[in-house]
Amino acid sequence: LSTSIMKKASEKNLVKYQILNLFDFTNKPHNKIDGYPFGGGDGMILKPEPVFRAIEKIKNKKNMKVIFPTPDGDLFTQEVAKNFSCEKNIVFICGHYKGIDQRVRDEIVTHEYSIGDFVLTGGELPSLIMCDSIVRLLPNVLGKMNSALTDSFYNLLLDGPHYTRPEIFRGIKVPDILLSGNHQKIRNWFLSKREDKTKIRRKDLWKKYLSKLEDGV
Ligand code: ADE
């Protein structure tokens, strides 16, 4: 949160980050944040009390969305990021250990998302990843240069190739078309490159793209 675009966004007051440490909400004197699972099994479970208390401490609760990153959640996509970029208050609960007490998920959490079919050691990285993808979509966070309009997934197509100076690098030349000055041809070239890549790498997106084309959207 303290580097690059995420930092600049908060410096420009386009977003405000607040971090709560669950260890500040534990029971004295043991200050324990995790416990053994009822019913047995390996691994420790994040206790409910610190999470409930931390949530109660948050002042602006109006319409608050509470995201719990978990590998068994719905898949977090660009579409989801876009929807959350319209929200005012978003909380990420970073689980750790084997899991979190189910009562937190039942009573507090409003959305559960996975960032992919792999398992991480905790919720901090997926929370940051989701936060980054949401914050960069907020108005005025990205300059025109980094515009989100050309992102992969915009219009259901992956992003295409990009080149910059020098024109010839180690004998490898930038495609002639990009130097032609013919903007219509260049646009068509970019589109066909995006289509080719999507067709090969992401059959799921390609199918959706084709059916949208057929619908004339
Ligand atoms: N926590 C651990 N693995 C995760 C994943 N793949 N996505 C979201 N949260 C997680």
Side-chain angles (χ1 to χ4, degrees):
L1 299 177
S2 57
T3 58
S4 188
I5 288 171
M6 302 266 273
K7 177 187 180 187
K8 282 195 194 126
S10 77
E11 282 174 347
K12 287 197 259 174
N13 284 325
L14 302 171
V15 62
K16 194 171 159 210
Y17 309 119
Q18 186 186 8
I19 299 166
L20 297 177
N21 185 344
L22 292 176
F23 279 100
D24 294 336
F25 300 91
T26 48
N27 284 328
K28 305 251 172 323
H30 299 298
N31 295 327
K32 271 193 73 79
I33 201 168
D34 60 337
Y36 292 101
F38 278 123
D42 289 334
M44 300 297 274
I45 307 297
L46 188 59
K47 287 163 79 61
E49 303 97 316
V51 185
F52 272 74
R53 286 188 196 132
I55 289 287
E56 280 150 17
K57 169 101 192 254
I58 296 169
K59 287 202 180 77
N60 197 355
K61 290 200 195 64
K62 229 174 135 197
N63 275 330
M64 186 168 76
K65 300 289 183 274
V66 183
I67 299 178
F68 179 57
T70 174
D72 59 10
D74 296 323
L75 192 63
F76 187 82
T77 62
Q78 187 66 17
E79 196 60 33
V80 177
K82 224 186 286 175
N83 291 337
F84 275 105
S85 69
C86 304
E87 292 293 340
K88 274 228 154 354
N89 299 300
I90 305 173
V91 174
F92 292 95
I93 297 180
C94 303
H96 224 89
Y97 317 110
K98 175 76 186 153
I100 192 168
D101 191 283
Q102 183 62 33
R103 287 164 288 193
V104 173
R105 295 172 76 158
D106 293 343
E107 301 294 322
I108 293 177
V109 170
T110 59
H111 297 79
E112 300 189 337
Y113 286 112
S114 164
I115 60 161
D117 286 343
F118 45 85
V119 180
L120 300 163
T121 53
E124 296 84 357
L125 290 175
S127 294
L128 276 173
I129 286 170
M130 292 186 235
C131 183
D132 183 293
S133 73
I134 294 167
V135 168
R136 67 189 287 283
L137 295 176
L138 298 176
N140 303 320
V141 167
L142 291 185
K144 209 175 163 212
M145 299 284 282
N146 298 313
S147 170
L149 292 180
T150 52
D151 284 346
S152 276
F153 307 118
Y154 179 74
N155 279 347
L156 296 172
L157 289 176
L158 299 181
D159 200 3
H162 300 284
Y163 295 89
T164 184
R165 279 169 224 291
E167 211 174 297
I168 302 174
F169 174 70
R170 298 194 177 178
I172 311 164
K173 202 168 175 300
V174 169
D176 287 336
I177 182 102
L178 297 180
L179 311 171
S180 70
N182 185 330
H183 298 296
Q184 185 58 47
K185 271 196 173 163
I186 291 174
R187 262 197 300 278
N188 291 343
W189 182 84
F190 273 126
L191 180 63
S192 74
K193 289 288 175 190
R194 295 181 69 192
E195 287 178 341
D196 291 348
K197 195 190 274 183
T198 309
K199 199 190 310 190
I200 292 166
R201 293 197 174 161
R202 293 292 302 272
K203 301 241 177 321
D204 55 329
L205 287 180
W206 181 244
K207 258 194 196 158
K208 279 192 206 165
Y209 175 71
L210 285 184
S211 71
K212 260 202 162 172
L213 275 189
E214 275 164 22
D215 293 346
V217 183

